[in-house]
Amino acid sequence: MTSSVGSTTGTVGTGELAGTLEATAAPPPRRRRGRGSALRRQERWAGWLFVLPGLAVLIIFLVVPIGLAFYVSLTRWDGLSSPFGGGARFIGFDNYKSLLTVDNLTRQNFATSIRNNFYFVLFVVPLQSALALFLAVLLNNKFLRGRSYFRTAFFFPSVTSSIATTLVFLFLFSGGGAVNQLLGYVGLHGPNWTADSRGVFHQALGAVGVDSPPGWAQHEFFNLSWWDWLSGPSVAMIVIITLVVWTTSGTFMLMFLAGLQNINEEVLEASEVDGAGPWQRFRLVTLPMLRPTLILVLTLGLISTWQVFDQIYLTGNNPATITPAYLSYNQSFQNSAFGIGAAIAFLLFALIIVLAALQRRLIGTGEDD
Amino acid sequence: MIRRTRAPLALVAGLGLMLAAACGGGDSGFSNSTGGNASGGGATTGVKLTMLIGSSGDAETKAVDDATAAWAKKGGNTVTVTPAKDLTQELTQALAGGTPPDLFYVDASKFAGLVKANALAAYGDQMPNKDDFYPNLLQSFTSDGKVYCVPKDFSTLALEINTDMWKKAGLTEADYPQTWDQLDAVAKKLTTGGVTGLVFNDTLDRVDAFMRQAGGSLLNADGTAFTADSPQNLTGLQFVQKMAREGTLKFPKQVDTGWGGEAMGKNKAAMAIEGNWFVGGVKNDYPNLHYAVVPLPRGSQQATLSFTNCWGIAAKSKNQAAAIDLVKYLTSTDQQIQFAKAFGVMPSVKSASTQFSQQFPDQKAFVDGAAYATGPTSLPGFDQVQKDFDAKILGLSNGSSDPKAMLAALQKNGDAALKANN
């Protein structure tokens, strides 16, 4: 979608970027009341001049591509000719309709991807935030030896290429991989992790004797039966959840650490004098004071988990792990349906906005209201 | 004052950039080329050609490099060969940008989409040796009676057998399976402990062979209607299901491998169904594997699948005459034999088959398959339909997938894809 733009504007490079930095570093125009208006106008021009490089970069690499992608989402375009010639047929909101209202394979795949990603977010966001907070609290202990070593060690997965870490995980979790061999030592027979599309909730239900869907769960909603909606993450998705929790908790740990170091030592000491135990101190003093950081971490986590792509791309086209971001790519480049692909991207965008707003409603903005 | 005059200038420059960005494809943005017959325009000497290939590896890239260099030297031309990391994606981007390479590989399954987008020049009629190409390969690149491009090489599916395991099981060459029943029987005999009788990938590109052997097909002859939900296809799929449930057939994931060749190389499978890439694939990784290649067993008829690429020439290319000349050179009998030697493909012309069979006697079954092979389904939007089907194949072995329902879904989704294209 944005490729055609990139190719023609590839020359806009570091120079423009440096311009942006200059522009942001430039002091705001001073207000001098009582002077002639000609000078003020001149200053306004100067202001725009300074902002222009940054603005141009934003417009060329953000606004125009988004506009183009939206245009593509309103067309049927196979990507094999220019979207402005006869190659793309304008079809209004048909792509959105096809994804939301038409009973077909595309909607089934879309529903599946939403389900997969929902469980992914449901597991990853709380787990990675909790782990990050736990690690940050550990590292914030002044009496811990080798703090910088641990900080580096925990942060390392975050700066390693996601492609590399995913490949390593795929090897670890292959049918005869290290994880299954370890399980073998304790007499357990591990599943063929990354190829296993069974939902873990289904398996848990199966363990207590519920193997087939009850009557009410056989009804379909968006081409998936309620039973399928309630499948839980697939076994393959559990692997990716583990991977992502491991890689991203390091980044969020740093944010929590910064937040913790901002907490005034005296407040903690005062609470100690007041007779608060360590747990009370954490729950009643540290945690409330970390609220802005917590909200930042949860929001960033929510947004990035709904956009998960690399790990899914490497795991391969498995209905048990496809996510909207991957489906968007797949529909565009593999299925030659760029319109549908772009429409998925915009629906995902809308979904993220709605969920972020909902989260803001539920836990506030982090500022004192 | 200087500042005041410069600011609007910068603004204009910025706007110009935006405009350039918005136009995307630049020069070709608003032109609507009409594909169709190759004009054969342009010079044939002193031309600079660009070529985008989906190379299988260094050996192929080097062979294509060498061959094009030899042609270029002859006519005082230059050819820039670019191996793509992801051919479909890179070609799509080049076409959407309006500056496609002059020549590129076209996979048979992507052919219909390219024709529909008027991206290909139809030059088939200008090939002097047109009748020398295998007719069913040419069929894969024919639309509305017009041959758009000629196949550069091909491969077919055949049955590979581990001869050591074969002998150990007390079987002889006379026991090489020729029918489904015989395949079923030997697979049972060869399945022991850690070894599975037969392993092939869980994709329509293998299972379809069984459906065709049962007399079925996915599309009708003229490609206007889906015929997936037929009793013949069901027979084929049920045979696959039977073997999978008995455990005499497993899919690579189940034996912790990526494909049939790996499963055989790691002694996890006694038989596999692969194309002639098998030969090159196991030669490097498993040099101690002894195997024989025999034609796929028959169901109610003999059938196999072929996979092929053609030399596509861009409709937008300004150097079509030179490009066609290069294709003539590259598809000549001698050059195809060179390619076969270099990276193990099979020549797409009949005149090379005798020489190929002499040079590579162990690959005779692959070449013979050309006579009764059919190409893949070429339909824009079929990719997701096939992937939906593929995802259910694994479930045949534990009963979670039902062949009838699989074919019904294939029919429904295939129909929808076909309808979306009309």
Side-chain angles (χ1 to χ4, degrees):
Chain A
M1 285 150 282
T2 58
S3 56
S4 57
V5 178
S7 60
T8 46
T9 54
T11 48
V12 184
T14 47
E16 293 281 358
L17 222 63
T20 328
L21 293 175
E22 266 171 45
T24 46
R30 280 166 291 166
R31 287 192 170 187
R32 283 185 220 164
R33 282 182 196 169
R35 287 286 192 105
S37 66
L39 192 60
R40 277 189 65 190
R41 209 170 20 205
Q42 204 176 338
E43 280 191 350
R44 199 182 304 147
W45 272 111
W48 277 110
L49 190 67
F50 276 117
V51 176
L52 196 71
L55 208 61
V57 169
L58 273 185
I59 288 172
I60 291 167
F61 291 108
L62 214 61
V63 179
V64 171
I66 289 174
L68 274 177
F70 185 68
Y71 166 71
V72 167
S73 81
L74 303 177
T75 63
R76 173 170 293 153
W77 180 42
D78 56 15
L80 298 174
S81 52
S82 167
F84 299 107
R89 202 164 82 226
F90 189 81
I91 53 167
F93 283 90
D94 276 8
N95 286 326
Y96 294 91
K97 271 189 219 154
S98 163
L99 282 169
L100 296 173
T101 62
V102 184
D103 174 17
N104 59 17
L105 182 63
T106 313
R107 188 173 79 160
Q108 182 189 323
N109 284 339
F110 184 56
T112 311
S113 73
I114 293 280
R115 177 202 64 187
N116 292 344
N117 214 334
F118 171 74
Y119 285 114
F120 179 77
V121 174
L122 195 69
F123 278 69
V124 169
V125 174
L127 282 176
Q128 77 185 11
S129 307
L131 182 64
L133 182 59
F134 176 71
L135 292 177
V137 171
L138 278 189
L139 288 183
N140 199 37
N141 182 348
K142 281 193 297 285
F143 304 108
L144 183 75
R145 281 171 164 226
R147 271 206 294 174
S148 56
Y149 166 75
F150 284 114
R151 202 164 49 213
T152 315
F154 292 143
F155 188 58
F156 217 74
S158 302
V159 289
T160 313
S161 148
S162 60
I163 303 293
T165 51
T166 310
L167 277 178
V168 170
F169 261 64
L170 288 182
F171 281 124
L172 286 176
F173 281 91
S174 69
V179 171
N180 276 0
Q181 291 199 353
L182 276 179
L183 287 176
Y185 287 133
V186 291
L188 289 171
H189 186 73
N192 197 344
W193 294 91
T194 50
D196 200 327
S197 56
R198 292 171 301 170
V200 292
F201 291 0
H202 278 178
Q203 282 174 283
L205 286 173
V208 294
V210 187
D211 276 326
S212 54
W216 60 268
Q218 285 174 8
H219 295 289
E220 284 199 352
F221 174 69
F222 267 75
N223 290 54
L224 286 190
S225 67
W226 285 106
W227 177 249
D228 282 335
W229 278 106
L230 298 173
S231 68
S234 61
V235 176
M237 197 53 122
I238 291 286
V239 174
I240 301 177
I241 288 172
T242 316
L243 164 68
V244 171
V245 167
W246 175 66
T247 49
T248 46
S249 51
T251 317
F252 293 138
M253 174 198 76
L254 279 197
M255 291 184 189
F256 278 127
L257 210 51
L260 285 171
Q261 280 161 3
N262 261 340
I263 295 177
N264 200 332
E265 199 70 27
E266 287 163 17
V267 181
L268 291 170
E269 278 168 15
S271 70
E272 214 166 332
V273 172
D274 285 345
W279 172 243
Q280 276 177 316
R281 206 162 64 227
F282 175 73
R283 199 169 58 89
L284 298 172
V285 181
T286 312
L287 215 48
M289 295 193 82
L290 268 184
R291 193 151 165 261
T293 317
L294 193 65
I295 285 160
L296 175 73
V297 165
L298 287 177
T299 311
L300 287 179
L302 189 77
I303 293 171
S304 66
T305 45
W306 273 105
Q307 294 176 336
V308 59
F309 177 81
D310 311 6
Q311 292 84 355
I312 309 294
Y313 178 77
L314 277 186
T315 318
N317 194 315
N318 181 348
T321 51
I322 53 168
T323 58
Y326 178 77
L327 192 65
S328 171
Y329 159 81
N330 194 53
Q331 282 288 338
S332 304
F333 285 101
Q334 307 299 320
N335 213 38
S336 312
F338 280 81
I340 295 274
I344 291 174
F346 278 94
L347 287 176
L348 180 62
F349 171 70
L351 186 76
I352 292 177
I353 294 279
V354 168
L355 288 175
L358 203 68
Q359 187 199 343
R360 206 180 138 102
R361 259 276 177 80
L362 286 176
I363 54 177
T365 54
E367 293 150 14
D368 293 322
D369 342 289
Chain B
M1 284 310 288
I2 294 171
R3 273 166 133 196
R4 288 185 68 178
T5 48
R6 267 191 195 160
L9 253 178
L11 200 69
V12 168
L15 279 172
L17 267 176
M18 277 178 245
L19 207 65
C23 285
D27 61 322
S28 61
F30 294 88
S31 72
N32 183 13
S33 86
T34 46
N37 288 321
S39 60
T44 48
T45 53
V47 174
K48 282 189 174 132
L49 285 180
T50 52
M51 183 191 272
L52 186 69
I53 65 170
S55 178
S56 60
D58 290 344
E60 180 168 355
T61 309
K62 190 177 175 301
V64 175
D65 263 338
D66 291 349
T68 51
W71 172 84
K73 207 175 163 192
K74 215 173 51 170
N77 303 307
T78 50
V79 184
T80 316
V81 179
T82 313
K85 282 192 194 73
D86 182 334
L87 181 67
T88 313
Q89 183 180 329
E90 286 177 38
L91 186 61
T92 302
Q93 286 166 343
L95 286 165
T99 50
D102 298 303
L103 275 155
F104 44 85
Y105 286 9
V106 174
D107 188 87
S109 65
K110 304 282 179 199
F111 170 72
L114 288 164
V115 169
K116 208 175 143 224
N118 292 326
L120 290 179
Y123 67 87
D125 289 333
Q126 299 180 38
M127 297 301 288
N129 60 340
K130 188 183 157 197
D131 296 330
D132 194 16
F133 292 95
Y134 290 101
N136 45 8
L137 297 182
L138 276 187
Q139 192 56 43
S140 291
F141 302 112
T142 304
S143 177
D144 276 337
K146 236 185 326 191
V147 179
Y148 275 77
C149 53
V150 292
K152 67 180 193 67
D153 48 42
F154 77 109
S155 48
T156 60
L157 294 179
L159 184 70
E160 294 83 30
I161 295 171
N162 182 327
T163 44
D164 293 337
M165 289 182 182
W166 195 259
K167 280 179 204 141
K168 220 184 257 171
L171 296 163
T172 65
E173 280 185 27
D175 298 314
Y176 286 157
Q178 291 176 1
T179 64
W180 282 3
D181 289 340
Q182 291 169 358
L183 178 68
D184 192 29
V186 294
K188 267 195 194 108
K189 214 163 194 178
L190 290 163
T191 304
T192 52
V195 181
T196 307
L198 177 63
V199 169
F200 60 76
N201 282 81
D202 48 340
T203 160
L204 190 59
D205 290 335
R206 301 288 176 282
V207 173
D208 191 18
F210 287 91
M211 306 207 282
R212 291 187 186 271
Q213 284 155 15
S217 67
L218 295 182
L219 276 164
N220 64 358
D222 53 358
T224 51
F226 255 80
T227 54
D229 202 359
S230 70
Q232 290 90 342
N233 284 346
L234 187 64
T235 310
L237 196 55
Q238 277 172 338
F239 177 70
V240 174
Q241 182 195 29
K242 174 177 174 285
M243 287 189 70
R245 297 214 71 164
E246 284 168 353
T248 55
L249 158 68
K250 278 190 182 155
F251 304 107
K253 283 171 208 154
Q254 293 172 296
V255 294
D256 227 355
T257 54
W259 64 294
E262 190 187 351
M264 273 179 73
K266 289 184 172 166
N267 288 327
K268 289 179 174 174
M271 295 185 288
I273 295 177
E274 295 287 350
N276 49 310
W277 55 80
F278 179 91
V279 177
V282 299
K283 190 165 80 183
N284 294 328
D285 295 347
Y286 313 105
N288 297 324
L289 177 68
H290 300 116
Y291 63 90
V293 183
V294 300
L296 290 184
R298 347 167 14 111
S300 63
Q301 65 180 27
Q302 185 100 52
T304 186
L305 303 179
S306 69
F307 304 95
T308 179
N309 279 282
C310 81
W311 290 110
I313 295 181
K316 285 212 175 106
S317 166
K318 292 186 179 70
N319 307 312
Q320 289 181 354
I324 292 169
D325 196 52
L326 176 54
V327 172
K328 281 179 197 163
Y329 179 82
L330 292 172
T331 54
S332 66
T333 311
D334 289 342
Q335 185 54 49
Q336 291 218 45
I337 291 284
Q338 290 296 320
F339 282 151
K341 280 183 197 160
F343 55 98
V345 291
M346 290 198 295
S348 59
V349 287
K350 287 178 272 185
S351 59
S353 84
T354 327
Q355 207 182 335
F356 181 83
S357 299
Q358 277 167 2
Q359 293 231 358
F360 308 99
D362 50 336
Q363 295 191 43
K364 192 171 175 302
F366 292 122
V367 184
D368 291 349
Y372 48 85
T374 38
T377 306
S378 182
L379 176 70
F382 188 68
D383 185 76
Q384 66 166 350
V385 178
Q386 167 160 359
K387 277 179 177 144
D388 180 64
F389 182 87
D390 290 354
K392 295 171 190 157
I393 295 178
L394 194 61
L396 285 173
S397 46
N398 63 13
S400 63
S401 296
D402 169 45
K404 251 193 172 131
M406 282 169 73
L407 290 175
L410 185 60
Q411 176 78 34
K412 181 188 154 200
N413 298 330
D415 272 338
L418 201 60
K419 222 166 86 189
N421 276 294
N422 293 330

